[in-house]
Amino acid sequence: MSELIAFIGVGNMGNPMANNLVKAGKKVKVFDVSKKMIEKAKEKELDVVENLDDLITNEVTTVITMLPEGKNSKEVYLGEKGIINKVSKNCLLIDCSTIDIQTSIEIGKKASEKGIKMIDAPVSGGIMGAEKATLNIMVGGTKEAFDNALPLLKIMGKNIFHAGDLGSGNGAKICNNMSLGITMIAASESLMLAKRLNIDIKKVHEIMKNASGNSWPISVYPPLPGLIDGTPSNNNYRPGFSAGMMNKDLKLANECAKQVNASTPLANMALEIYDKFCKEGNDTKDFSAISKVVGGNAWNYPID
Ligand code: NAD
């Protein structure tokens, strides 16, 4: 049977990921519920199918989903017209969305009851990583399903990890993003303090990049403009990775921590800060825009 990939959810991340599969010579058909994203996919000359029913057929050999939240994955895989009722047993399901562990396990179990293999494979590396195919991909599922997915994952990412059983990919991703949410605030506080101390921000950034205060937000994705080209802070905080998504991930971390009785005071505080920021209407701004509300008096806020 010839290979056919159905890619569902071609937003900020899914679009470049699907595009990389096409560039690698794969036959890919894409679907999204958003008209705007469909137009963007057409601009990239992706093969768009306007209706999910027409996309998910017996011929599909792999389904890849890149959706916002657990409820979206649940609807697409298990809903009334759910994928697991339509694909053949040989079809491999790869959910790259960052979602709660329980939903991943539930979808995977229901798929395996039908003899279908499924992995959770959330990613990190942002839209730049998606575009350059340098994503880190964290996989939960059986070794067999991981091995089956590996050739496709290697096209979209650079470092591919088998984290453990189903749900472990999302578990690892949630731990990662918990740190990211905290360090983005930490980087913002440091750079804002430097600004208020009237020290040249570019120099402080260069120093921190090479000193012990370095972090991914400092070295790759600084929250203040004028430091690294191509970052959302240089583009009026257009996402990128939205504050709403970070808020979702910190909520996931908070729920996980409660379930296993882990103490995570900094993550709880980060959640409070992002939650307030989102409620003030900034959920569609890049998450690095949090720098507008930390480190003293807000500068240039609200964001235009
Ligand atoms: P996005 O909102 O840009 O894209 C998600 C897409 O899914 C949207 O285009 C939306 O219309 C579509 N969608 C929603 N429900 C759908 C459905 N039922 N059927 C078809 N399409 C549907 O989000 P994103 O930034 O691409 O993030 C996607 C996932 O990847 C999230 O879980 C996010 O946490 C994770 N993630 C994002 C980044 C990032 O930097 N943006 C980095 C790592 C991980």
Side-chain angles (χ1 to χ4, degrees):
M1 192 154 96
S2 62
E3 202 177 10
L4 172 59
I5 301 167
F7 202 114
I8 303 167
V10 278
N12 289 322
M13 296 294 285
N15 180 314
M17 287 164 72
N19 202 31
N20 283 331
L21 292 168
V22 173
K23 280 197 266 178
K26 299 291 172 190
K27 188 168 182 208
V28 184
K29 293 192 177 193
V30 310
F31 170 75
D32 198 293
V33 286
S34 151
K35 292 241 161 10
K36 189 175 150 202
M37 293 309 177
I38 291 275
E39 286 315 308
K40 281 194 171 177
K42 284 181 179 165
E43 278 166 28
K44 284 255 188 90
E45 295 184 3
L46 290 170
D47 185 353
V48 175
V49 177
E50 308 264 348
N51 184 329
L52 187 59
D53 282 340
D54 297 336
L55 174 64
I56 303 300
T57 61
N58 254 332
E59 282 100 67
V60 172
T61 50
T62 309
V63 174
I64 303 179
T65 42
M66 193 49 164
L67 302 165
E69 295 183 45
K71 63 178 183 206
N72 308 112
S73 292
K74 205 165 169 171
E75 181 202 330
V76 166
Y77 284 106
L78 306 180
E80 217 177 298
K81 294 179 176 178
I83 288 171
I84 67 161
N85 297 316
K86 298 187 77 189
V87 292
S88 80
K89 281 191 179 172
N90 299 323
C91 181
L92 174 66
L93 309 179
I94 304 178
D95 188 12
C96 290
S97 327
T98 303
I99 65 170
D100 58 288
I101 298 171
Q102 287 76 12
T103 300
S104 275
I105 294 174
E106 185 186 345
I107 298 170
K109 271 196 178 155
K110 295 227 163 104
S112 87
E113 280 163 20
K114 292 188 175 266
I116 302 165
K117 289 189 191 69
M118 156 119 198
I119 56 169
D120 55 310
V123 310
S124 89
I127 48 167
M128 288 181 269
E131 275 159 12
K132 291 182 189 155
T134 56
L135 292 169
N136 297 298
I137 308 184
M138 305 146 233
V139 177
T142 63
K143 176 79 170 67
E144 192 191 357
F146 173 77
D147 288 341
N148 289 353
L150 201 52
L152 290 181
L153 299 180
K154 278 186 175 164
I155 295 171
M156 298 183 287
K158 190 170 162 211
N159 302 308
I160 322 294
F161 304 96
H162 188 197
D165 294 339
L166 204 62
S168 308
N170 271 304
K173 169 71 187 174
I174 289 166
C175 294
N176 181 75
N177 275 26
M178 184 173 97
S179 256
L180 177 62
I182 296 167
T183 48
M184 183 54 85
I185 294 172
S188 299
E189 288 188 4
S190 294
L191 293 174
M192 284 308 295
L193 179 60
K195 205 173 163 77
R196 291 170 75 78
L197 290 169
N198 277 328
I199 312 175
D200 183 346
I201 259 290
K202 285 192 177 163
K203 288 198 178 137
V204 175
H205 179 246
E206 191 58 26
I207 290 165
M208 285 184 73
K209 250 183 10 182
N210 288 285
S212 47
N214 194 15
S215 62
W216 191 85
I218 289 288
S219 61
V220 178
Y221 209 97
L224 266 62
L227 299 173
I228 296 185
D229 287 345
T231 52
S233 57
N234 275 342
N235 193 15
N236 200 26
Y237 298 96
R238 265 190 59 207
F241 182 54
S242 69
M245 291 282 186
M246 176 48 85
N247 200 35
K248 171 202 68 161
D249 290 354
L250 288 167
K251 280 184 185 154
L252 292 175
N254 187 267
E255 282 158 21
C256 285
K258 275 192 199 142
Q259 280 159 13
V260 295
N261 215 10
S263 163
T264 54
L266 289 185
N268 297 352
M269 198 170 284
L271 173 58
E272 262 178 49
I273 294 170
Y274 273 101
D275 207 40
K276 181 167 181 288
F277 187 62
C278 288
K279 283 182 180 141
E280 284 165 357
N282 298 305
D283 52 324
T284 58
K285 288 285 171 190
D286 189 76
F287 83 116
S288 59
I290 203 70
S291 56
K292 299 269 189 181
V293 292
V294 299
N297 290 336
W299 56 288
N300 190 16
Y301 185 78
I303 309 157
D304 49 30

